[in-house]
Amino acid sequence: QACANLQIYDPYYCQGGTKRRLGKLGFDHVHNENEDFYVVAKSENVTAFDVLVTNPPFSDAEHVTFALDFAISSGKPWLMILPVSFIFSDIFTRVEQVLGADGLRPFYVVPGKKYNFKTPAPLPPPPKIDRHHQARTRSRISHTLWVVQGGADKELHQRLLEVARSSFDEEGVEWAESVSELPKSALPGHFTKDMKRVAELQGLVLSD
């Protein structure tokens, strides 16, 4: 579909930045409204959409789990910013295994630099322990990546993979078809014992 006709849904509203930024790229139909996503999802009154593009809150794994469950059950293509550490969790491993069994395993796009997440003024700033030394008071620089999946349509999923293989040649932008192929720049600086266990299950070889 042409950009102007594509219906994009971002259920997590902050200050409307998603709609503004995607609009500048030519995407005119973006639903990102100040509404309670959890209430909307449970009421089954979700807006019609072609693709889900979102960044669920990282404050609690339940937010990320809910977003993933919603994305998968929708059957639509989805692109989601997730913390790198969450990729090495039992929750995400189960998600990947379920999708992989149907030949729909997600792939990963690694930004050239860490994203700077800004907390809106009405909310308290993030704790100092969560802030990078280069981040401003109301900001948090987080180690994240994009997880991309083509929905229930295997043909579309393969087309997205082909686009990834041929298009990500920008300086600093990398991609991986599986967790085991993630570049070193995408890996957490520290692996807990559980994260190491999950990494081994995912086939990722960690150097000592």
Side-chain angles (χ1 to χ4, degrees):
Q1 296 187 40
C3 294
N5 295 324
L6 193 70
Q7 303 282 341
I8 298 176
Y9 181 34
D10 179 2
Y12 291 100
Y13 182 86
C14 184
Q15 290 184 314
T18 297
K19 185 178 291 188
R20 291 194 302 272
R21 290 182 176 88
L22 288 176
K24 290 179 180 179
L25 295 174
F27 297 99
D28 297 329
H29 299 286
V30 180
H31 187 93
N32 178 230
E33 304 298 333
N34 188 6
E35 57 191 15
D36 190 325
F37 170 46
Y38 302 98
V39 172
V40 172
K42 290 177 181 178
S43 70
E44 299 184 354
N45 192 30
V46 177
T47 185
F49 65 95
D50 299 311
V51 59
L52 181 79
V53 180
T54 194
N55 168 203
F58 305 156
S59 56
D60 193 311
E62 290 186 5
H63 292 301
V64 183
T65 302
F66 189 93
L68 284 168
D69 287 344
F70 174 82
I72 294 168
S73 63
S74 75
K76 302 288 186 177
W78 51 272
L79 300 88
M80 197 176 298
I81 300 176
L82 295 181
V84 172
S85 58
F86 187 80
I87 303 300
F88 297 96
S89 68
D90 289 317
I91 296 173
F92 187 79
T93 299
R94 285 193 291 271
V95 168
E96 196 190 47
Q97 289 173 343
V98 168
L99 292 171
D102 293 328
L104 296 167
R105 193 182 302 275
F107 62 91
Y108 309 88
V109 178
V110 184
K113 61 181 180 179
K114 294 179 181 179
Y115 287 155
N116 187 359
F117 294 89
K118 298 179 180 179
T119 305
L123 299 176
K128 290 183 178 180
I129 192 173
D130 288 337
R131 293 207 305 266
H132 189 275
H133 69 279
Q134 294 181 341
R136 296 182 178 180
T137 304
R138 305 199 64 82
S139 299
R140 180 177 61 184
I141 297 176
S142 299
H143 198 174
T144 58
L145 46 67
W146 283 92
V147 182
V148 184
Q149 204 274 332
D153 187 332
K154 289 186 179 181
E155 182 178 346
L156 176 58
H157 185 67
Q158 289 302 314
R159 285 167 57 194
L160 288 174
L161 269 173
E162 291 301 323
V163 170
R165 292 189 182 107
S166 61
S167 300
F168 289 114
D169 55 1
E170 296 181 31
E171 184 177 353
V173 178
E174 299 179 87
W175 81 284
E177 194 165 340
S178 66
V179 172
S180 63
E181 297 177 4
L182 284 172
K184 187 176 181 180
S185 61
L187 301 180
H190 171 71
F191 278 83
T192 65
K193 184 177 180 179
D194 282 339
M195 288 170 66
K196 287 181 178 179
R197 173 181 54 79
V198 171
E200 291 178 359
L201 290 174
Q202 297 276 27
L204 181 67
V205 178
L206 299 174
S207 57
D208 295 330

